[in-house]
């Protein structure tokens, strides 16, 4: 079903609603990312799927599936599912209940968040955060400050000490530089 969902519907869908990135470590491609944006009336949905394989002392294969649904530009639901070498590492959900977000992780209920959310990490690929001060992290289930470095570059300092930097051209993310626990990675937009 995922295979079908991520297949381009037309040439216009590829340019307007679908982005593809190569995951680079030490100048080598170690994986890929697909991000899709769809519109249905006043609902915008973002789907992110990535696979990467990196060898440090041993081989690590990471699979991510992330989704965020916005209604009238307000987050309704966000999910992140991550496996490492086939084992579930993250299974997070945030869902708007009309007054706050209920949060769940792989162990069950994980509290709530009482502010409206207009931007999440899933939406950053299609939307430059020019006037945004904080972004909802599907991984950390909290708002994280985002700082403008220059006219098209933004940085997030993550709660675990890592940083992620996003670079934009014409409002679309062209490069993500992720300082992660196991490697420094670049997500480079594939241009046809």
């Amino acid at each position: 079903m995922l295979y079908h969902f991520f297949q381009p519907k037309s040439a216009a869908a590829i340019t307007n609603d679908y982005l593809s990135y190569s995951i680079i470590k030490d100048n080598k491609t170690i994986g890929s990312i697909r991000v899709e944006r769809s519109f249905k009336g006043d609902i915008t949905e973002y789907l992110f799927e990535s696979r990467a394989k990196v060898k440090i002392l041993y081989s690590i294969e990471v699979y991510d599936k992330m989704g965020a649904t916005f209604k009238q530009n307000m987050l309704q639901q966000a999910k992140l599912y991550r496996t490492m070498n086939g084992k579930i590492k993250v299974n997070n959900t945030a869902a708007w209940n009309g007054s706050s977000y209920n949060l769940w992780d792989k162990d069950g209920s994980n509290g709530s968040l009482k502010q409206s959310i207009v931007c999440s990490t899933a939406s950053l690929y299609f939307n430059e955060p020019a006037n945004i001060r904080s972004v909802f992290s599907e991984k950390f289930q909290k708002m994280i400050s985002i700082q403008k470095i220059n006219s098209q570059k933004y940085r997030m300092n993550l709660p675990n000490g890592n940083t992620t930097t996003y670079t934009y051209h014409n409002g679309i993310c062209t490069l993500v530089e992720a300082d992660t626990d196991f490697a420094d990675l670049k997500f480079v937009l594939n241009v046809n």
Side-chain angles (χ1 to χ4, degrees):
M1 183 146 176
L2 260 181
Y3 176 80
H4 173 73
F5 189 80
F6 279 110
Q7 294 308 302
K9 295 170 189 78
S10 68
I14 293 171
T15 56
N16 294 329
D17 297 314
Y18 176 86
L19 301 172
S20 169
Y21 297 82
S22 293
I23 303 173
I24 311 290
K25 177 189 178 289
D26 299 330
N27 296 318
K28 293 181 185 167
T29 300
I30 62 162
S32 62
I33 299 172
R34 292 177 159 186
V35 187
E36 185 173 321
R37 174 178 62 179
S38 62
F39 299 101
K40 296 173 192 152
D42 61 355
I43 294 182
T44 306
E45 189 169 36
Y46 300 92
L47 288 173
F48 172 107
E49 186 175 30
S50 71
R51 289 185 189 278
K53 192 169 191 174
V54 62
K55 189 167 185 170
I56 302 170
L57 297 174
Y58 58 93
S59 187
I60 299 171
E61 189 168 344
V62 179
Y63 169 76
D64 272 5
K65 182 179 171 190
M66 181 168 51
T69 303
F70 290 80
K71 184 175 182 180
Q72 298 174 340
N73 297 320
M74 189 176 128
L75 184 70
Q76 299 299 300
Q77 182 173 294
K79 292 183 175 190
L80 173 63
Y81 176 80
R82 175 175 295 155
T83 61
M84 192 174 291
N85 291 341
K87 294 182 181 171
I88 297 172
K89 292 295 182 182
V90 179
N91 192 3
N92 292 346
T93 301
W96 179 248
N97 66 20
S99 60
S100 65
Y101 293 92
N102 295 323
L103 306 173
W104 295 273
D105 62 19
K106 67 180 185 171
D107 299 319
S109 182
N110 191 27
S112 64
L113 187 63
K114 294 194 183 299
Q115 66 185 94
S116 60
I117 298 170
V118 297
C119 184
S120 77
T121 53
S123 65
L124 283 175
Y125 291 84
F126 281 97
N127 302 296
E128 183 175 347
N131 299 311
I132 302 290
R133 295 185 195 264
S134 62
V135 174
F136 178 73
S137 166
E138 287 86 351
K139 178 182 177 185
F140 295 103
Q141 294 191 307
K142 59 171 66 175
M143 299 302 292
I144 298 176
S145 175
I146 188 162
Q147 293 116 10
K148 189 172 191 172
I149 296 171
N150 61 39
S151 64
Q152 295 176 325
K153 196 174 228 182
Y154 304 81
R155 181 175 49 240
M156 291 173 58
N157 296 316
L158 305 177
N160 62 0
N162 296 339
T163 61
T164 306
T165 305
Y166 298 83
T167 302
Y168 292 83
H169 181 72
N170 293 330
I172 297 292
C173 184
T174 57
L175 174 66
V176 177
E177 296 163 282
D179 164 25
T180 73
D181 293 334
F182 60 91
D184 291 339
L185 304 175
K186 291 183 179 180
F187 308 159
V188 179
L189 180 65
N190 296 321
V191 181
N192 293 342

